[in-house]
Amino acid sequence: MGRKRARSGYFEAVRGGGAAIALDRGEISILRSLVVQLLELVGPGPGAADADADPLAELFAEGPSRPPDDPALARLFPDAYEEQADASEFRRFTENDLRARKRDDALAMVRCLDRGGAQLDLTPEESRQWLGTLNDLRLTIGAYLDITEDDDNELYHLPDDDERKPMVVAYLWLGALQESLVETLMP
C-alpha cells in the first residue's frame, strides 16, 4: 500500500510529525515567486557580498537601531518596546538574527518547492519553516494593502477590475494555507 495522497491545497499530517500538501504547477510557481520577493525584501544578510568576510565578525555585528521605513519591513521587524531607547537597543542586537532566520526559512521553502512533484512532503522542521514563511508573506502583503485586524475590510469585496484584487486573493489563499498547516501540526 502506497502513501496517502494529500488533498489539493490542504496540508495533511504525515508519519513522523511533518505535513504534506498537493499543489499544482501554477500554485508552486506563485508561491515560489512570492517567497523570492520576500527574500529580496529581507535582504541578503551581512557579509553576503564579501566571500572573504570574517565569519566571527558577523557574530558581533550590530544591527540597525531604527525601524525600517518600508511598511512591510516595519511589520516584519516591529519595535519590541514602546520607549524608543529600549526599542533601538533591542533592535540593534536582535534584528540581524531575525532576518537570518526569516531568510533561512524562506530558502527552505524554495528548496521544498523546487523538489516539485504532485505532492510535497515536509519534515517537521520544514513544516515549521513553511509556517514562518507563510506568516511573513501574509504580513508583507497585508502591510502593502494596509489590511488591519478588521475582518470586514472593504478590500475583501473589491470589484474584479481593481488592481489590488490579485494581491488580496493571494493574501486570503496564503491565510488558508497557513491555517491548514497550523491545524495539521496541532497535536
Side-chain angles (χ1 to χ4, degrees):
M1 180 168 221
R3 70 179 182 185
K4 180 181 166 188
R5 173 130 163 88
R7 294 182 299 152
S8 181
Y10 293 94
F11 283 95
E12 294 188 7
V14 296
R15 186 175 292 159
I21 188 168
L23 296 170
D24 65 35
R25 288 183 187 177
E27 292 168 324
I28 289 172
S29 177
I30 291 168
L31 264 179
R32 191 180 194 290
S33 175
L34 290 171
V35 175
V36 167
Q37 291 175 57
L38 177 67
L39 282 164
E40 291 171 357
L41 180 68
V42 170
D50 185 6
D52 297 325
D54 179 6
L56 290 177
E58 286 187 31
L59 288 175
F60 300 104
E62 292 182 9
S65 59
R66 293 178 349 135
D69 292 330
D70 182 282
L73 285 174
R75 186 65 183 101
L76 290 173
F77 306 106
D79 279 335
Y81 298 98
E82 286 186 34
E83 185 177 318
Q84 188 57 42
D86 292 338
S88 294
E89 192 73 5
F90 185 81
R91 177 180 300 283
R92 208 174 84 200
F93 292 108
T94 60
E95 187 170 317
N96 286 345
D97 289 341
L98 185 55
R99 281 181 186 263
R101 195 199 81 223
K102 289 180 182 304
R103 269 191 302 279
D104 291 347
D105 289 353
L107 286 169
M109 189 171 180
V110 168
R111 284 190 291 276
C112 290
L113 292 167
D114 286 351
R115 287 193 306 237
Q119 176 170 304
L120 300 173
D121 292 318
L122 309 177
T123 65
E125 177 63 13
E126 290 169 337
S127 298
R128 185 206 57 77
Q129 291 169 314
W130 272 59
L131 195 55
T133 301
L134 288 170
N135 187 60
D136 290 343
L137 289 170
R138 288 192 73 237
L139 288 172
T140 300
I141 292 171
Y144 286 140
L145 292 172
D146 199 26
I147 293 177
T148 64
E149 293 181 30
D150 182 8
D151 288 339
D152 194 26
N153 194 312
E154 82 267 356
L155 288 175
Y156 300 149
H157 308 288
L158 292 174
D160 288 342
D161 62 349
D162 191 298
E163 65 184 22
R164 299 169 295 173
K165 183 84 175 205
M167 290 312 293
V168 172
V169 171
Y171 176 83
L172 295 172
W173 177 57
L174 292 167
L177 289 175
Q178 184 180 18
E179 182 177 347
S180 173
L181 184 54
V182 166
E183 290 173 356
T184 299
L185 297 176
M186 291 185 69

